[in-house]
Amino acid sequence: MATTSKEQAEAARAVDLYQFEGTDCYQESDEHARLRGYFPLTPGTPNASDAGSEEVMIVCIEIEPGDYLPSHRDSNEELLVVTAGRVEATVGDDTIDLETGQCAVVPEMAPHGLYNGGDETARIIGFFPDTELTATFEEPLEPFGTAEVTIEPDREAERGDD
């Protein structure tokens, strides 16, 4: 089967996902509801790199031992891949253990969260099939100041508008 690819605007290159400045995310009501998010290939977000995709978004997160990503619902399906450590992933009513090299699929709008019950920092990459996403938490997520966090490309910057 022959395939065709879209014309690429630039040559392929490596991007170190954790070289960018991370964003500490947390809920004020629980000292363990916290993570560090890296958004290098997420168009329109703080600290995004210029190496982005027009059709896919990724987020990289680190969760320290004893901490967790609070339960939330995403407007898109998500593929969670553990790249270091281990986490308990709760998707809907099911909880599974994920270790380095394992993944879980989270259906669109399914409640899900991650808990690091291990003894090392867990690193997880979330892949989304779109560059726009709304994540809805039960309580506000700081530093965003809202329970509904929307990530979308900066269309004006893409067009070169001022």
Side-chain angles (χ1 to χ4, degrees):
M1 175 179 192
T3 60
T4 58
S5 63
K6 291 183 179 181
E7 212 174 291
Q8 291 187 350
E10 62 181 75
R13 64 182 166 134
V15 176
D16 181 353
L17 299 176
Y18 296 95
Q19 76 176 344
F20 304 93
E21 182 179 336
T23 300
D24 291 322
C25 303
Y26 59 94
Q27 288 181 331
E28 291 184 351
S29 65
D30 185 339
E31 68 183 53
H32 291 287
R34 60 185 54 247
L35 60 117
R36 178 168 282 257
Y38 299 84
F39 308 102
L41 300 182
T42 305
T45 60
N47 306 315
S49 79
D50 62 349
S53 170
E54 293 181 20
E55 298 179 15
V56 176
M57 176 191 306
I58 70 168
V59 295
C60 305
I61 62 173
E62 292 178 336
I63 303 174
E64 296 299 326
D67 289 344
Y68 66 95
L69 166 64
S71 181
H72 63 285
R73 296 172 188 266
D74 293 325
S75 59
N76 296 319
E77 178 179 61
E78 180 179 16
L79 176 65
L80 293 169
V81 180
V82 178
T83 61
R86 61 186 334 179
V87 294
E88 291 178 10
T90 300
V91 180
D93 293 330
D94 298 321
T95 299
I96 57 173
D97 292 324
L98 296 175
E99 298 180 1
T100 300
Q102 294 183 316
C103 66
V105 175
V106 179
E108 178 180 321
M109 296 307 292
H112 62 286
L114 300 170
Y115 169 71
N116 182 352
D119 57 4
E120 66 180 279
T121 301
R123 286 184 164 180
I124 302 95
I125 299 177
F127 294 87
F128 297 94
D130 196 348
T131 57
E132 296 183 21
L133 172 75
T134 298
T136 305
F137 293 82
E138 294 171 10
E139 297 179 30
L141 186 68
E142 301 301 335
F144 306 104
T146 180
E148 189 171 283
V149 178
T150 299
I151 300 171
E152 59 189 348
D154 183 348
R155 301 289 184 209
E156 290 180 11
E158 288 176 358
R159 289 190 309 261
D161 295 349
D162 291 318

